[in-house]
Amino acid sequence: MKKLFASLALGLSLCFGGAAFAQTAPAAEAKVEAKVEAKAEAKVDAAAPATAPAAAPAAAEAAPALVPNKGDTAWMMVSTILVIMMVVPGLALFYGGLVRSKNMLSVLMQVMVTFSLITVLWFIYGYSLAFTEGNAYIGGLDRLFMNGIWDNAAGTFANAATFSKGVVIPEITFAGFQATFAGITCALIVGAFAERIKFSAVLLFMTLWFTFSYLPIAHMVWFWMGPDAYATKEVVDEMTGKAGLIWQWGALDFAGGTVVHINAAVAGLVGAFMIGKRVGYGREAMAPHSLTLTMVGASLLWVGWFGFNAGSALEANGFAALAFVNTLLATAAAVLAWCVGEALMRGKASMLGAASGAVAGLVAITPAAGNVGIGGALVIGIVAGFACLWGVNGLKKMLGADDSLDVFGVHGVGGIVGALLTGVFNSPALGGPGFVADWVTVTMVTAADYSIAAQVWTQAKAVLLTIVWSGVVSLVAFKLVDLTVGLRVSEEEEREGLDISSHGETAYHS
């Protein structure tokens, strides 16, 4: 326990040390705080939404305060609950069933405690660094400890923008929704080095990686000033210049292809290399101990993913419905594609393959969910099923890493496939909705003006930056953890199983 507390203390000190270098956002200029005050003052507060940060400054000084729609607010809270279900119990059971019985509880612990740790860090400093104005790479400290998110004396709450002009949701609701994204991203990494890592090493690594990889990538991809900030053509360049770097490029990521899946997959792959292979890997049987639990976990992931993707519309509207249906269709298509691929390769389709196909489809449709039409979702699901099947077989052998639960093969390959194909099927000519070409008038790009090649290149740049950023941060973070608390349990502890050696418990009693 002393080592665990020492690890956490070191991680937190490094976090706040890093946060001190972030550029503090200028006053409240870019934020939307639609508070009802005696003087009827409309503030602009801007802790931005996962896909759309806060709204317009001083332009609407005399405008009435914006009031969140109760339906939008309720939908965002339901979506948040669904994402929590994805992690605990969904991801925990999916991963838990895939490991050997002697390591079942260790995986459940790593997922649950990682999610809890990141949730706490999110509300201390993570939300502020991801979703307030700072620079192109990281936010500021305006929302440190959630400062200013509500006025307890007046009983009023700050608002955050959505993607529609004049529409807001309570910022505290948006912050809670995004906390679950940060939590599940870090929990995904656990699968790459399951069955041989120290529990204290997991927590220290997650603290470092969350601070220096997740938060900057989230800011670069998702932070912008919100639609109301684009009041006139004269301010367009200024407002766009305040957004995250990848947002400025014009990359499309509806719910986290880069921020969540590619980001986590690269960290997992680096960890698999640095921690090394499991004792007996390639020589001893390491079959999943309960595919029943894995199927239950995959099913919970599928249900919860509707909150993950459709909730990222930030409103209960048509784009939420589009993301909802695309999530259903792409996942089903990927299950079928994986099963067909397995049948062609081995003569039989497996339950593990069907469950893995479902996750592959969910991953690939994530960046595309509200950005492509129904036909695009179908193609993305089919391609993801076949691509990820190759990822956990052919690519895994080529890389030579013991990625225990195929984090890179599914989340890395699926995330890249989804991100690139978003650029293809977002095209109005292929049934996609396109993107907003002019936020002042909220005019969508036309089919004639949409360049698939240009958008795919933009998507590829976002993918490459995410891979490099996460790879470098992960390498440094794992090295620091190894130098402090050590990464790996002893061979004796690994053979005994982490349930007993790390937690003093056993999942099953004979």
Side-chain angles (χ1 to χ4, degrees):
M1 281 305 287
K2 288 182 180 178
K3 285 186 178 180
L4 174 58
F5 288 127
S7 303
L8 286 172
L10 174 60
L12 288 170
S13 66
L14 286 168
C15 294
F16 289 115
F21 290 101
Q23 178 182 336
T24 304
E29 181 189 28
K31 299 183 172 177
V32 185
E33 268 175 18
K35 290 184 181 179
V36 180
E37 298 186 357
K39 297 182 182 176
E41 230 180 331
K43 282 187 181 178
V44 191
D45 171 334
T51 5
E61 217 166 334
L66 297 173
V67 178
N69 177 279
K70 290 182 179 180
D72 292 336
T73 303
W75 168 237
M76 293 310 299
M77 289 192 287
V78 168
S79 294
T80 302
I81 292 169
L82 287 170
V83 182
I84 294 170
M85 188 180 74
M86 286 172 65
V87 195
V88 187
L91 182 66
L93 290 177
F94 180 78
Y95 277 176
L98 290 174
V99 298
R100 290 167 288 181
S101 59
K102 64 183 180 180
N103 295 311
M104 172 64 166
L105 293 182
S106 72
V107 170
L108 299 185
M109 275 288 288
Q110 287 172 23
V111 170
M112 187 173 192
V113 178
T114 291
F115 182 77
S116 301
L117 170 66
I118 299 307
T119 298
V120 170
L121 297 181
W122 180 257
F123 287 107
I124 294 173
Y125 65 89
Y127 175 71
S128 188
L129 290 178
F131 288 109
T132 66
E133 185 184 342
N135 56 46
Y137 301 94
I138 196 70
L141 299 176
D142 285 8
R143 284 290 188 254
L144 194 65
F145 287 97
M146 304 309 289
N147 175 55
I149 205 162
W150 82 300
D151 184 339
N152 63 320
T156 53
F157 292 83
N159 290 326
T162 64
F163 294 108
S164 303
K165 289 203 172 191
V167 178
V168 295
I169 56 175
E171 189 181 345
I172 195 168
T173 305
F174 173 71
F177 180 64
Q178 279 300 313
T180 62
F181 276 61
I184 194 171
T185 302
C186 292
L188 286 173
I189 303 171
V190 163
F193 41 67
E195 301 195 295
R196 75 263 203 195
I197 193 170
K198 290 182 178 180
F199 185 56
S200 57
V202 171
L203 300 184
L204 181 53
F205 170 79
M206 294 304 177
T207 301
L208 293 170
W209 186 85
F210 163 74
T211 305
F212 298 107
S213 187
Y214 183 83
L215 296 179
I217 296 294
H219 182 84
M220 284 189 272
V221 173
W222 283 333
F223 181 79
W224 66 306
M225 300 306 292
D228 292 321
Y230 290 79
T232 65
K233 293 190 180 297
E234 290 72 29
V235 301
V236 169
D237 290 342
E238 179 189 357
M239 293 300 107
T240 301
K242 293 180 178 181
L245 179 65
I246 295 176
W247 180 278
Q248 292 184 39
W249 291 349
L252 303 171
D253 189 348
F254 196 80
T258 49
V259 181
V260 177
H261 298 295
I262 299 172
N263 205 6
V266 172
L269 184 61
V270 172
F273 276 118
M274 294 192 68
I275 297 170
K277 298 177 181 180
R278 287 167 287 180
V279 173
Y281 180 74
R283 302 186 308 276
E284 300 175 11
M286 295 184 178
H289 88 279
S290 178
L291 289 179
T292 303
L293 290 178
T294 293
M295 192 276 173
V296 170
S299 303
L300 290 169
L301 281 167
W302 192 346
V303 174
W305 223 289
F306 290 107
F308 195 77
N309 284 354
S312 291
L314 304 182
E315 302 173 46
N317 61 11
F319 280 97
L322 177 64
F324 191 100
V325 172
N326 283 344
T327 301
L328 176 62
L329 176 60
T331 309
V335 170
L336 296 178
W338 192 299
C339 289
V340 168
E342 271 195 331
L344 292 173
M345 287 171 58
R346 301 168 184 160
K348 296 178 182 178
S350 68
M351 179 65 252
L352 176 57
S356 300
V359 176
L362 291 166
V363 169
I365 199 60
T366 292
N371 288 324
V372 302
I374 303 299
L378 178 61
V379 174
I380 288 172
I382 293 170
V383 173
F386 287 117
C388 293
L389 175 60
W390 168 77
V392 303
N393 289 288
L395 180 61
K396 185 174 184 177
K397 290 177 183 176
M398 290 165 57
L399 293 173
D402 180 13
D403 179 354
S404 308
L405 309 182
D406 295 312
V407 175
F408 191 82
V410 174
H411 295 273
V413 173
I416 292 169
V417 166
L420 297 179
L421 290 183
T422 296
V424 176
F425 293 104
N426 179 249
S427 171
L430 297 177
F435 54 80
V436 177
D438 183 348
W439 277 105
V440 178
T441 59
V442 197
T443 303
M444 302 297 288
V445 67
T446 64
D449 292 331
Y450 190 98
S451 169
I452 291 177
Q455 190 60 45
V456 169
W457 170 238
T458 299
Q459 299 297 110
K461 287 196 299 181
V463 167
L464 290 171
L465 177 57
T466 302
I467 290 171
V468 173
W469 191 290
S470 182
V472 171
V473 170
S474 301
L475 187 67
V476 174
F478 277 118
K479 191 63 180 175
L480 288 173
V481 173
D482 195 26
L483 292 172
T484 51
V485 300
L487 284 171
R488 189 166 182 154
V489 299
S490 67
E491 181 175 342
E492 182 183 352
E493 291 173 318
E494 187 176 338
R495 288 198 176 278
E496 183 181 26
L498 301 190
D499 287 4
I500 292 292
S501 63
S502 294
H503 305 292
E505 300 172 295
T506 182
Y508 307 102
H509 298 276
S510 55

